[in-house]
Amino acid sequence: MQTTTTPRHPLKQTTLALSAACLLGLGSQAAADEQRPGEGVTVQPAVASWTSAVPVSWTFVELLEELGYDVQTPISLSNPVAYLAISEGDADYWPNAWFPLHEPQLPDGFHDVATLFDPLCNACGIQGYLVDIPSLEEYEITGIDDFTRDEVKAAFDATGDGKADLFGCPPGWGCHEGINAMLDKFELHDHINHVDAGYAANFAEALSRIQAGEPALYYTWGPSAWLLSLVPGEDVMWINAPGIVEDEAERAEGVEGAVSDPIEMGFAAADIQVAANNDFLEANPAAAELFRQVRLPLDWISMVDGEMDEQDLSDAEVRPLVADWIADNRDTVDEWLDAARAAAE
């Protein structure tokens, strides 16, 4: 018996094929959109003026671009101007906020229009006074008040004025005011001379003295290349500034290379945080979640800061170092990005 086959309608066949292709295309597009939730959104970051802010800044640029955002070159701003720019929407975010140190620099109403995220580097913004280890051991130095002793003053008197020299900060810096306030409060001007030349020159003098086997007392902060040139716990030790502490924020625990634990630093240990405009965050949940997720190690930030100093790197030349760190920590970074993508769904 002869069987007949009903011919397929060519138009219907073509329509089905096109529909399938469209569905596949839509699926691919949907997948792409999920991977790049920031596609089509332009972002304007700000960056702080100090060098250790640069690797932190480029980290967020790299990660936001992986989420599809069109990130503009970060604008370098001083602290008060950066917070004002964020509050007014001229900058979308700034990953270089140090708190509680920067609290007095916020414009009125800042917390109503902007958000400070949990620390990306907890208690990483440390400041304080250090002494070379041989002198610390010889003179049994544990705190700044030991510099009222005659034998200590004589050992640390580099200028011959009968006072211990403290290599500190130049006028105009916040630490210059902080050091002088400490000397005023505890009537230490007769015992300690605040050498307030340019910081690079001051640190170079302290470094030279220590390398020559001579005593040195100096101020520094982290994250910075200074912590790599004279390493706390190996070359120098953080010493106490007893009596200066007015709140628990100035008493730090677990500080590597400190003479005691906890240690009274004399300055509040600052958390490094992302500050961002609320309107931007509301419109960009993926970016907001990324700001919640990212955590960066102090030693890496300091290492990059050191390379910037040694090699005289431009900001743009730091970016490949950031890309290398991201590649080396891909599993962790992907967890941050996956959380950011999920927040945008």
Side-chain angles (χ1 to χ4, degrees):
M1 183 175 69
Q2 185 177 4
T3 58
T4 58
T5 301
T6 304
R8 296 180 179 178
H9 195 290
L11 180 59
K12 184 176 181 181
Q13 186 176 8
T14 302
T15 302
L16 288 171
L18 287 172
S19 297
C22 287
L23 287 172
L24 286 172
L26 289 172
S28 299
Q29 183 61 48
D33 290 345
E34 290 176 0
Q35 290 297 305
R36 297 174 63 81
E39 197 76 54
V41 178
T42 300
V43 182
Q44 180 59 69
V47 61
S49 55
W50 55 86
T51 55
S52 64
V54 176
V56 176
S57 174
W58 281 125
T59 300
F60 283 94
V61 172
E62 288 275 343
L63 298 182
L64 286 167
E65 288 185 348
E66 286 200 40
L67 294 173
Y69 289 96
D70 178 15
V71 186
Q72 304 299 294
T73 301
I75 305 171
S76 180
L77 299 175
S78 65
N79 306 350
V81 176
Y83 293 121
L84 182 62
I86 291 166
S87 66
E88 294 182 350
D90 295 326
D92 295 313
Y93 75 93
W94 196 57
N96 308 128
W98 281 34
F99 281 86
L101 185 65
H102 290 176
E103 189 71 39
Q105 299 174 329
L106 297 180
D108 292 340
F110 179 83
H111 293 290
D112 296 328
V113 296
T115 295
L116 288 171
F117 287 85
D118 287 342
L120 64 93
C121 197
N122 187 56
C124 286
I126 56 175
Q127 306 175 73
Y129 308 101
L130 299 106
V131 171
D132 62 287
I133 290 177
S135 298
L136 183 139
E137 294 175 346
E138 179 178 355
Y139 298 102
E140 299 180 344
I141 296 169
T142 60
I144 201 75
D145 52 355
D146 286 313
F147 288 84
T148 61
R149 291 157 40 201
D150 289 342
E151 69 274 17
V152 177
K153 286 190 289 184
F156 286 80
D157 182 7
T159 56
D161 63 357
K163 302 178 184 179
D165 289 303
L166 165 57
F167 298 101
C169 298
W173 287 30
C175 50
H176 181 270
E177 297 175 5
I179 293 170
N180 285 343
M182 179 266 292
L183 297 177
D184 289 340
K185 182 174 182 179
F186 298 101
E187 299 180 348
L188 293 173
H189 285 287
D190 289 339
H191 306 285
I192 296 176
N193 171 43
H194 179 194
V195 182
D196 57 1
Y199 187 81
N202 263 352
F203 184 85
E205 180 63 23
L207 177 62
S208 176
R209 287 180 59 82
I210 291 173
Q211 289 177 335
E214 299 174 350
L217 164 67
Y218 67 100
Y219 159 93
T220 199
W221 71 92
S224 72
W226 318 115
L227 295 182
L228 302 179
S229 298
L230 288 171
V231 180
E234 297 180 14
D235 307 305
V236 294
M237 298 288 283
W238 298 99
I239 64 171
N240 283 280
I244 296 174
V245 175
E246 296 181 354
D247 60 56
E248 287 301 314
E250 295 179 24
R251 182 176 289 108
E253 295 183 356
V255 176
E256 188 171 351
V259 296
S260 63
D261 189 17
I263 181 170
E264 297 178 351
M265 301 291 287
F267 296 86
D271 296 328
I272 303 178
Q273 300 170 253
V274 176
N277 178 273
N278 283 345
D279 289 341
F280 171 77
L281 296 173
E282 184 176 355
N284 295 278
E289 185 59 31
L290 182 71
F291 296 156
R292 293 188 188 96
Q293 292 286 326
V294 173
R295 300 291 183 270
L296 299 177
L298 173 62
D299 56 355
W300 175 72
I301 299 172
S302 296
M303 181 196 71
V304 176
D305 188 58
E307 292 192 27
M308 291 178 68
D309 179 60
E310 291 173 7
Q311 303 177 36
D312 194 25
L313 299 179
S314 67
D315 286 7
E317 289 172 325
V318 175
R319 189 167 186 176
L321 302 180
V322 172
D324 288 343
W325 183 87
I326 290 173
D328 291 340
N329 295 272
R330 192 74 247 182
D331 290 345
T332 299
V333 169
D334 282 343
E335 290 178 3
W336 300 340
L337 294 172
D338 287 345
R341 293 178 181 117
E345 294 178 357

